[in-house]
């Protein structure tokens, strides 16, 4: 407060140049005041602060001033910093660019992502696209990214923004079971029951089908219990069937699908598993008591 008062006294006699001050806090206050009164005069001083041998704290504050300015030159400076140089400032510049909502920003960020080798920069851009629900760019990155970790992050962010068609595109292009499982885990959050059921019916790998069934069980829309019951009738793998039984049993208030499965099951081991699960559902579901 005393520094702000000192600056106010100085400003009462005329504009205060940040460059003439030695105290960093005073410099920052003077810089903000000058940007409000005469931004075109203040901008070259901001640029000098960013280029000079000033402390990281002062440079970060100078970047904030640029990020808040609507001057075209300030936006050019912000883009230049976002494209590379100081790693700490680069990440912050990317964040400020995303807040400006300039129509050219998404394409610029894709260019920065493609040219950068810094995982922190890439993650920051992925966060930006996720926050703006930019499924097109997330899909573009997921298709082209070679780094498995970053590619997985792009896929997960598509799940967060309800990227149904985009995730299905990626799934169909996957050649490994691990890759398909990763996409299915992201699909758990986007409500695509029809596609998940298709995977559970047709994929040749039991582990992939199990993952699809787990995803189906988490869906709130549609009829997941009826879907699991139908899948049980066509499934041949014992472990996958056990997974379906366990998920049907987790629906405490509705045991009828599990009762239907029990009536049709001929395998004694699986039938014992179903009866065991139904024995724990009698208090909440009369159909379980009746069947037992």
């Amino acid at each position: 407060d005393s520094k702000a008062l000192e600056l106010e006294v100085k400003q009462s006699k005329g504009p205060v140049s940040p460059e003439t001050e030695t105290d960093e806090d005073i410099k920052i206050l003077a810089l903000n005041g000058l940007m409000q009164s005469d931004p075109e005069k203040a901008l070259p001083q901001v640029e000098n602060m960013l280029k000079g041998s000033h402390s990281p704290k002062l440079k970060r504050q100078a970047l904030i001033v640029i990020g808040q300015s609507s001057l075209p030159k300030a936006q050019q400076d912000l883009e230049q910093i976002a494209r590379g140089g100081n790693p700490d400032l680069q990440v912050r510049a990317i964040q400020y660019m995303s807040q400006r909502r300039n129509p050219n920003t998404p394409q610029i960020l894709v260019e920065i992502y493609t040219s950068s080798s810094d995982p922190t920069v890439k993650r920051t851009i992925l966060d930006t696209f996720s926050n703006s629900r930019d499924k097109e760019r997330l899909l573009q990155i997921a298709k082209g990214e070679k780094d498995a970790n970053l590619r997985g992050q792009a896929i997960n962010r598509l799940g967060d923004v309800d990227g149904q068609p985009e995730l299905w595109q990626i799934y169909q292009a996957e050649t490994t079971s691990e890759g398909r499982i990763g996409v299915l885990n992201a699909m758990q959050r986007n409500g695509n029951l029809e596609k998940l059921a298709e995977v559970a019916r047709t994929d040749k790998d039991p582990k992939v089908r199990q993952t699809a069934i787990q995803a189906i069980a988490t869906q709130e829309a549609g009829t997941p219990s009826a879907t699991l019951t139908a899948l049980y009738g066509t499934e041949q793998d014992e472990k996958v069937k056990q997974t379906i039984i366990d998920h049907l049993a987790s629906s405490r208030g509705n045991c009828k699908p599990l009762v239907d499965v029990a009536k049709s099951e001929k395998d004694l081991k699986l039938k014992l598993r179903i009866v065991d699960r139904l024995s724990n559902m009698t208090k909440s579901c009369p159909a379980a008591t009746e069947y037992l």
Side-chain angles (χ1 to χ4, degrees), residues 154-287:
I155 290 171
N156 283 330
R157 283 166 170 78
L158 274 171
D160 292 334
V161 298
D162 194 27
Q164 291 184 8
E166 292 79 12
L167 284 173
W168 188 242
Q169 281 186 49
I170 297 171
Y171 181 90
Q172 290 179 305
E174 283 293 341
T175 58
T176 67
S177 296
E178 292 76 11
R180 295 198 298 278
I181 287 172
V183 179
L184 288 173
N185 286 331
M187 288 177 70
Q188 285 192 31
R189 303 186 295 278
N190 74 3
N192 201 337
L193 183 61
E194 179 185 346
K195 296 301 184 185
L196 290 171
E198 182 179 336
V199 173
R201 282 193 304 269
T202 61
D203 200 283
K204 295 180 180 179
D205 189 328
K207 290 183 178 179
V208 176
R209 297 202 301 277
Q210 273 185 303
T211 305
I213 286 163
Q214 290 165 356
I216 290 169
T218 65
Q219 301 304 302
E220 296 181 358
T223 55
S225 293
T227 302
L228 291 176
T229 304
L231 289 168
Y232 189 92
T234 59
E235 182 58 57
Q236 300 299 317
D237 186 89
E238 181 179 316
K239 288 186 177 180
V240 178
K241 282 194 164 190
Q242 290 175 356
T243 301
I244 296 175
I245 291 169
D246 292 343
H247 282 300
L248 288 175
S250 66
S251 178
R252 295 290 179 181
N254 181 20
C255 63
K256 189 176 183 308
L258 195 56
V259 170
D260 293 339
V261 167
K263 289 178 179 178
S264 63
E265 183 55 69
K266 300 295 188 291
D267 183 278
L268 180 59
K269 183 178 178 181
L270 288 169
K271 193 151 192 169
L272 283 170
R273 190 183 189 94
I274 298 170
V275 170
D276 177 69
R277 301 299 187 271
L278 285 171
S279 68
N280 295 320
M281 302 174 72
T282 53
K283 291 183 179 180
S284 60
C285 188

Side-chain angles (χ1 to χ4, degrees), residues 20 24 49 94 109 137 145 182 192 201 210 214 224 227 243 276 289:
T20 62
E24 284 197 349
M49 286 183 183
I94 289 169
L109 292 181
R137 267 74 185 198
E145 180 59 67
N192 201 337
R201 282 193 304 269
Q210 273 185 303
Q214 290 165 356
T227 302
T243 301
D276 177 69
T289 304

